[in-house]
C-alpha cells in the first residue's frame, strides 16, 4: 500500500520538489479527499429548502399555551393556514388580507419567518402584532406564536404539521384522494342539517335584530340579522353559492358597539357556508370546527362578521350572551 501511494504521488509531483514542499503537497491532497464527500452530501440535503413551495398547515396543539385559552389562541392562530414561499418572499395566502412576510432563516433543515400587522383595539387605537413561524423540513412540524405591542400579553407557541406542495406535487405523502374524501365527508355533514329543524338549534347570542344559533351536536351556526348588509350578503351567497365568503369573531371585555370597520377581524374560511331560510327568515349557515370558541361565556360582548374575500363586501353585528 505504501509503495503504491508513493508511486502515485511521484507521478503527479514535479521531480525537483523539496521534501518540505512534498509534505505540504500531501496535506493539500488529503484535505481535498476529505472535503469532497462532504460537499456531495450537502448538495442533496433537504427536499424543498431551495425551491418555491406551498405549506398547507393544520395547527392542533393549543393546550400548551399558558397565556390564553385555546379558544382565544385560535382566533389569532387559525387551525387551518396556507403559506406560499416564492424565492425570498412569503405570503400568508389563506389570510383575508394576504399578509406579506419576511423570511428570517432558511436552510435544508428549517425555514423561519414573520408577519407584521397593525390591528386596532376596541377604542380604534392601532397596536403592533407580530406573527412568528418556524417550520421544520425533517419532521413537517410547524410552530407559531404571537408577540404584541406594549401592554399586551404574548401568545405562546402553538404546534401543528404541514404538507409541502411543490408545483402541484405533495411531498409529504398526503394523496389528493384523501382531500377528496375529506370534502365528501364535509358535504355529507352539512346535508344532514338540511332542511332546518329548529329543535336541533339553540340561541346563544343576539342583539340589535341579530340572532346566532348553535347546533346541538355539530360545530355549526345559524345567523340572521335585520342589518341591510347581512341581507345583501345573503342574497349574493344565494346567487353565487361558491363565492368565497369568510367569517370572523372579535371578543371584547366591554361593550363593542362603538367599534367600527373590519380591520380588527381575522377572517377564516369555513368548511362550509350556505344561504338558507326557515319560515321566511333568511339565515346563513356556517360549519367549521373552530366555531366551538363561540361558547366562551367569559366574554359577554362579541362581534360577528362576514366578508367576501375577492370583492370585499362585508358586514358585522354586535352580539351579547343570551
Amino acid at each position: 500500500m505504501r509503495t503504491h501511494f508513493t508511486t502515485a504521488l511521484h507521478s503527479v509531483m514535479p521531480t525537483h520538489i523539496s521534501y518540505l514542499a512534498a509534505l505540504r503537497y500531501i496535506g493539500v491532497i488529503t484535505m481535498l479527499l476529505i472535503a469532497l464527500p462532504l460537499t456531495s452530501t450537502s448538495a442533496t440535503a433537504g427536499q424543498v429548502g431551495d425551491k418555491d413551495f406551498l405549506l398547507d398547515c393544520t395547527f392542533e396543539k393549543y393546550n400548551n399555551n399558558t397565556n390564553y385559552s385555546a379558544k382565544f389562541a385560535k382566533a389569532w392562530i387559525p387551525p387551518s393556514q396556507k403559506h406560499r414561499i416564492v424565492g425570498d418572499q412569503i405570503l400568508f395566502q389563506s389570510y383575508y388580507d394576504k399578509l406579506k412576510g419576511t423570511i428570517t432563516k432558511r436552510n435544508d433543515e428549517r425555514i423561519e419567518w414573520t408577519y407584521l400587522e397593525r390591528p386596532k383595539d376596541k377604542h380604534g387605537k392601532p397596536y403592533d402584532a407580530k406573527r412568528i413561524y418556524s417550520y421544520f423540513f425533517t419532521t413537517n412540524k410547524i410552530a407559531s406564536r404571537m408577540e404584541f405591542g406594549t401592554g399586551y400579553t404574548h401568545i405562546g407557541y402553538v404546534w401543528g404539521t404541514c404538507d409541502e406542495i411543490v408545483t402541484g406535487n405533495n411531498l409529504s405523502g398526503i394523496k389528493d384522494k384523501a382531500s377528496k374524501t375529506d370534502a365528501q365527508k364535509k358535504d355529507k355533514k352539512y346535508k344532514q342539517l338540511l332542511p332546518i329543524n329548529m329543535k336541533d338549534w339553540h340561541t346563544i347570542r343576539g342583539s340589535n335584530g341579530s340572532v346566532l344559533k348553535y347546533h346541538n351536536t355539530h360545530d355549526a351556526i345559524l345567523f340572521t340579522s335585520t342589518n341591510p348588509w347581512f341581507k345583501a350578503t345573503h342574497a349574493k351567497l344565494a346567487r353565487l353559492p361558491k363565492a368565497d365568503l369568510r367569517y370572523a369573531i372579535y371578543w371584547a371585555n366591554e361593550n363593542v358597539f362603538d367599534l367600527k370597520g373590519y380591520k380588527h377581524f381575522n377572517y377564516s374560511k369555513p368548511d362550509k357556508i350556505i344561504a338558507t331560510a326557515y319560515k321566511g327568515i333568511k339565515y346563513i349557515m356556517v360549519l367549521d370546527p373552530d366555531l366551538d370558541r363561540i361558547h366562551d361565556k367569559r366574554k359577554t360582548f362579541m362581534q360577528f362578521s362576514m366578508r367576501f374575500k375577492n370583492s370585499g363586501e362585508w358586514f358585522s353585528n354586535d352580539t351579547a350572551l343570551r
Side-chain angles (χ1 to χ4, degrees), residues 34-223:
I34 294 173
L36 284 174
L38 294 176
T39 303
S40 176
T41 302
S42 62
T44 58
Q47 284 184 307
V48 293
D50 58 349
K51 298 179 181 178
D52 300 337
F53 60 100
L54 174 73
L55 289 177
D56 189 352
C57 307
T58 301
F59 288 86
E60 299 172 340
K61 296 183 179 180
Y62 289 85
N63 296 333
N64 295 329
N65 192 305
T66 57
N67 297 328
Y68 294 98
S69 68
K71 293 178 180 179
F72 182 88
K74 286 181 179 180
W76 280 101
I77 306 176
S80 178
Q81 301 184 29
K82 288 182 175 65
H83 304 269
R84 181 170 295 280
I85 295 91
V86 180
D88 59 353
Q89 298 181 341
I90 189 162
L91 181 71
F92 197 161
Q93 183 168 302
S94 59
Y95 192 59
Y96 84 96
D97 208 19
K98 289 190 178 296
L99 291 174
K100 293 183 179 179
T102 301
I103 297 176
T104 57
K105 183 176 183 178
R106 181 172 180 175
N107 54 36
D108 291 326
E109 295 180 355
R110 72 171 69 179
I111 182 171
E112 298 178 353
W113 69 95
T114 60
Y115 300 108
L116 296 178
E117 289 185 88
R118 290 281 288 170
K120 295 180 180 179
D121 62 18
K122 59 180 179 292
H123 302 296
K125 183 179 180 180
Y127 60 94
D128 293 329
K130 179 189 289 187
R131 300 172 182 269
I132 302 172
Y133 291 85
S134 297
Y135 175 71
F136 302 87
F137 293 115
T138 54
T139 61
N140 299 117
K141 291 183 177 181
I142 188 170
S144 179
R145 61 188 176 92
M146 292 291 306
E147 288 187 357
F148 300 106
T150 305
Y152 295 89
T153 304
H154 302 330
I155 298 178
Y157 277 111
V158 176
W159 286 84
T161 57
C162 300
D163 297 330
E164 302 163 8
I165 303 173
V166 179
T167 60
N169 298 320
N170 191 321
L171 299 182
S172 300
I174 306 299
K175 304 296 184 181
D176 291 338
K177 184 178 179 180
S179 299
K180 184 177 180 180
T181 302
D182 187 54
Q184 291 174 342
K185 289 181 179 179
K186 293 175 182 177
D187 287 340
K188 184 179 180 181
K189 182 184 292 186
Y190 101 82
K191 288 179 180 178
Q192 293 174 350
L193 304 181
L194 295 174
I196 296 174
N197 183 351
M198 280 302 174
K199 293 182 180 179
D200 297 331
W201 303 82
H202 61 283
T203 300
I204 60 173
R205 290 183 170 273
S207 182
N208 295 335
S210 68
V211 176
L212 192 153
K213 295 178 178 291
Y214 208 94
H215 197 270
N216 295 334
T217 57
H218 295 287
D219 290 322
I221 63 169
L222 281 175
F223 186 80

Side-chain angles (χ1 to χ4, degrees), residues 286-299:
V286 182
L287 286 81
D288 197 67
D290 296 340
L291 285 169
D292 63 353
R293 67 186 188 273
I294 289 181
H295 289 298
D296 193 345
K297 294 184 178 181
R298 296 172 299 175
K299 305 287 189 180

